[in-house]
Every structure is written in structure tokens, then in C-alpha cells.
Amino acid sequence: MKPSIYGLRKENLIDWLAEHGEKKFRATQIWEWLYQKRVTAFDQMTNLSKSMIALLEENFMINPLKQMVVQEASDGTVKYLFELPDKNMIETVLMRQEYGLSVCVTTQVGCSIGCSFCASGLLKKNRDLTAGEIVAQIMLVQHYFDERGLDERVSHVVVMGIGEPFDNYDNVMDFIHVINDAKGLAIGARHITVSTSGLAPKIRQFADNGLQINLAISLHAPNNQVRTSMMRINKQYPIERLMDAIDYYLDKTNRRITFEYIMLSGVNDHVEHAKELADLLKDKKKLVYVNLIPYNPVSEHDQYSRSGKADVLKFYDVLKKNGINCVIRKEHGTDIDAACGQLRSKQMKKTKKVTA
Ligand code: SAH
Ligand code: SF4
């Protein structure tokens, strides 16, 4: 299988061209065709020679994804189900925010972290996505707008789809470099957010990467007992180790971190938990932000249900009174299975039924 050219950082493309006796400016031309004019075939790159086009065709494909299902929700959220060359399925979500178009990308086929509330974790990791397959998700969403003659650009990216991005670190970093390139899609680093379940060593590595990308941590609980019950990764990287890595990140970057906290009724939503959380974060108040997230019910995890409104508000008040920045997150596309992994797991079940 030929790799997707979308997976190459600009400098990798320059090197590849040099190995084939081509000049650097060819990379600039190809880059413009891919990311500014956004063509879908090499033979549309009309300022390249026939032999150059043949060389590219011989070695790369452009788009590795096939669009299978598109669902549009009443609030403008669009969910795409894509098929990979090996027939695995992934999903990508586009959200319309006040500040622009934001895309949520998938980084792995399934996820091995196996959090007990998450639909993605139900499907054990099958493989990592290549950088090209992650970039292609952004490109296909952008093409979707281009084809409709809509002059709108994907301006924000969240790495919060299926998979644990720090378990596919190098490909995710290649992806970020490609979409961040000023002469390409030019999605600003400050508009890119990576969410992790808390792989402490990778948080340290990420702190050293030198880009101004936002980091979100799926914390979801204020103590090890509750967190381990929800996220078995907490056994490997308990809260103390996670917080050490976060302190390193904050020291190194001085950038604000978001903590994600799914509100689960009777599990992590007591006032006591809010106090514990405020205590855990009190020495970094200026640099943290807590996102209280409504749980998207997953039928296979029926031990969990969404916290009541009154409990969420009480929790929020405790954090605020303790000087912790905090928001209650708005939901997107609840009428179209917008929670991570839900469209994909539904589609897989349907497929299984058909083939059984
Ligand atoms: N693996 C990474 C990124 C993907 S999950 C991580 O865990 O951070 C992105 C976010 O969606 C995480 O905060 C995750 O905890 C949350 N999430 C997973 N299942 C959810 C559900 N059913 N309802 C609401 N949020 C969910
Ligand atoms: Fe994987 Fe994130 Fe889901 Fe946990 S919440 S299973 S880390 S995708």
C-alpha cells in the first residue's frame, strides 16, 4: 500500500524530492496544490512535469480515506465515518463554534486505554493511524466545505476523537506539523488542542516540543480510588505522577492546561469531590481550567448515568468559590451519536449483523 503524501512534513517532502534529484521549490509547488488549492489528484498539479507527476503517483496516494456515512445535526455539527485502506472505520466530527470551524480527529483504530465510560475503549486498539490518515480527516472535512462552495476554513483542531494521541506520539506530532505549516493549512498552534488520558512521560516530552499547542488532561476524578475505577491507566500513572508531569509542563511552557471532568451521577459529582479537586489544583490556579462535561450515555456502560443539573451547578460553585477557573461544557450534536466512538461502534454492530 502506498503511503499518503499528507503524512509528510514539508522538510520530509523536500528531502524526498532531493533524493529523487528534484529542487526544493517543487516542494513549495506540491504543498500549495495539496493544502491551498486542495486538489485531489496528482495530475491536477498542472505546473509539474509529466515525469514528476508519474513519480509522485508511483510513490504516494493523496487521500487514503473513503467517506462512508455523513450525519448532520440540527446545531450544525457534522459527523463523518471514514473507511481506511485496510477497511477499518474511523470517525471525525466537525463542530461549528462561535470562533469558527473546529474538527475533532481520531488517532487510532480503537483504544487500548480502556476507560470504563468510553465507547472507544470498547474496541481494543487495532492499530495506530498514520500521520497521513490523521491529516486526511482535516482535508476531507475541508473538501466537504470547498465542494459546497462555502468559503469557510477549518480553523481549530481538537485531538479528542477515538484513540490515545500520546500512544501514537510521533504520528500525531507529524500531523500537527503538517496542519500548522504557515504555507499550508496554517492552523495556528494555539488553535490546536491535544487531549490525553495522562501518559505522564509523554506529557513531559510534549512539554519539550517547543510548539504552543494546548494540552487537555482527562482527569475525571480528584483521587486515585475514583479515578482508577474509571480509568485503569491510573494504576500505571496515578494522580501524583500525573501532577508531577503537569508541573513540569507548566514550568516549562507557562501555558494554561485544561482538565476535563465528565460528570457521572453518584460517582465523581459530590460536593466532597469538588472540594478535593479544588485542593488538588490550588497551587496552580492561575494556569488551570476545568471543563465540566456532560456524560454522553454509552449503552454498554449502563453503570454510569449523567449527573443532574443541580449537582453540576453545586460542583461548579464549589470550584468557583475556591478560585478555580471552570466552565460547564456545551454539548454538540447529541442527536447524531456525537460522543467519541459511538457512530463507529453502532456502524460496526450493523455491519456485524449484516455479515452474521
Ligand atoms: N484518549 C484521549 C482523547 C480522546 S477522548 C483522552 O482520553 O483524553 C476525548 C475526551 O472525551 C476525553 O476527555 C474522554 O474522557 C471524553 N469521553 C469519552 N467518552 C465520553 C462520553 N461517553 N461522554 C463524554 N465524554 C467522553
Ligand atoms: Fe481511550 Fe480516551 Fe476513551 Fe479512555 S477516554 S478509552 S483514553 S479514547
Side-chain angles (χ1 to χ4, degrees):
M1 184 64 67
K2 284 181 276 188
S4 163
I5 195 165
Y6 286 149
L8 263 57
R9 295 187 189 197
K10 173 89 85 33
E11 57 269 30
N12 300 138
L13 181 59
I14 293 170
D15 290 348
W16 185 87
L17 287 165
E19 279 164 29
H20 292 79
E22 292 289 341
K23 298 240 163 58
K24 198 173 163 179
F25 79 94
R26 291 281 175 219
T28 309
Q29 289 178 321
I30 296 169
W31 204 260
E32 275 176 14
W33 283 115
L34 290 173
Y35 300 112
Q36 290 183 16
K37 300 185 190 108
R38 298 193 279 276
V39 299
T40 50
F42 290 117
D43 61 9
Q44 293 167 344
M45 301 182 174
T46 47
N47 56 1
L48 301 185
S49 67
K50 285 237 159 58
S51 60
M52 180 77 236
I53 289 171
L55 183 68
L56 290 170
E57 280 171 346
E58 212 178 290
N59 287 280
F60 299 105
M61 64 164 115
I62 296 187
N63 169 32
L65 304 179
K66 193 165 143 198
Q67 190 172 295
M68 304 301 283
V69 179
V70 181
Q71 292 183 336
E72 286 198 42
S74 42
D75 65 359
T77 302
V78 187
K79 187 143 185 170
Y80 304 84
L81 190 73
F82 296 126
E83 189 184 79
L84 299 165
D86 61 6
K87 306 283 178 207
N88 275 305
M89 303 274 209
I90 56 164
E91 60 190 56
T92 304
V93 180
L94 166 92
M95 290 159 291
R96 284 180 180 279
Q97 310 278 15
E98 303 87 64
Y99 47 76
L101 298 181
S102 173
V103 174
C104 176
V105 294
T106 286
T107 54
Q108 297 178 314
V109 179
C111 182
S112 291
I113 307 291
C115 303
S116 61
F117 49 83
C118 173
S120 308
L122 290 169
L123 309 149
K124 229 179 163 320
K125 184 177 93 173
N126 180 306
R127 71 170 174 90
D128 290 331
L129 292 195
T130 63
E133 288 165 341
I134 312 175
V135 174
Q137 296 172 54
I138 306 289
M139 295 310 295
L140 264 72
V141 172
Q142 187 61 62
H143 287 157
Y144 182 85
F145 282 84
D146 295 346
E147 282 159 14
R148 281 161 182 72
L150 299 167
D151 186 23
E152 288 180 275
R153 249 190 76 229
V154 173
S155 57
H156 290 69
V157 168
V158 290
V159 185
M160 291 191 183
I162 300 170
E164 167 49 53
F166 284 177
D167 184 36
N168 185 15
Y169 190 85
D170 294 342
N171 290 340
V172 168
M173 293 315 288
D174 282 347
F175 155 71
I176 288 171
H177 277 271
V178 171
I179 64 167
N180 179 236
D181 187 283
K183 294 276 167 55
L185 293 174
I187 298 174
R190 286 188 175 81
H191 291 181
I192 301 173
T193 303
V194 177
S195 172
T196 178
S197 59
L199 308 191
K202 294 291 181 196
I203 293 172
R204 289 170 185 269
Q205 195 178 339
F206 188 72
D208 294 330
N209 79 49
L211 290 175
Q212 310 265 299
I213 315 163
N214 304 310
L215 181 62
I217 306 284
S218 292
L219 186 65
H220 303 324
N223 63 53
N224 284 323
Q225 195 206 346
V226 179
R227 193 163 191 267
T228 302
S229 79
M230 299 168 64
M231 307 175 74
R232 58 179 193 216
I233 189 74
N234 194 64
K235 279 193 205 146
Q236 200 176 344
Y237 302 117
I239 290 181
E240 302 70 38
R241 256 189 98 179
L242 180 57
M243 287 301 159
D244 278 351
I246 286 167
D247 286 340
Y248 177 81
Y249 175 90
L250 293 175
D251 257 9
K252 191 86 200 222
T253 66
N254 208 33
R255 293 189 59 74
R256 200 155 77 165
I257 271 193
T258 302
F259 287 96
E260 290 158 287
Y261 199 101
I262 300 180
M263 300 292 288
L264 297 176
S265 178
V267 175
N268 64 357
D269 65 347
H270 299 304
V271 164
E272 278 314 308
H273 293 133
K275 286 184 187 151
E276 244 180 305
L277 181 60
D279 209 40
L280 184 67
L281 303 179
K282 66 172 189 283
D283 63 335
K284 27 187 158 285
K285 270 181 201 168
K286 285 200 190 109
L287 285 171
V288 305
Y289 206 86
V290 174
N291 240 334
L292 298 177
I293 306 173
Y295 178 57
N296 253 310
V298 175
S299 54
E300 289 84 348
H301 300 312
D302 58 6
Q303 74 272 35
Y304 294 126
S305 60
R306 183 180 282 210
S307 300
K309 250 197 190 134
D311 288 330
V312 176
L313 287 174
K314 256 191 258 166
F315 199 99
Y316 173 88
D317 277 345
V318 173
L319 291 180
K320 280 280 179 195
K321 282 205 183 95
N322 283 277
I324 307 288
N325 296 309
C326 173
V327 287
I328 301 173
R329 192 196 276 172
K330 223 171 71 186
E331 282 185 279
H332 291 276
T334 32
D335 49 333
I336 56 158
D337 314 314
C340 306
Q342 286 188 350
L343 175 62
R344 176 171 176 266
S345 61
K346 253 192 199 170
Q347 196 67 21
M348 305 266 284
K349 272 185 235 151
K350 264 194 229 160
T351 319
K352 267 188 208 142
K353 265 185 211 144
V354 172
T355 50

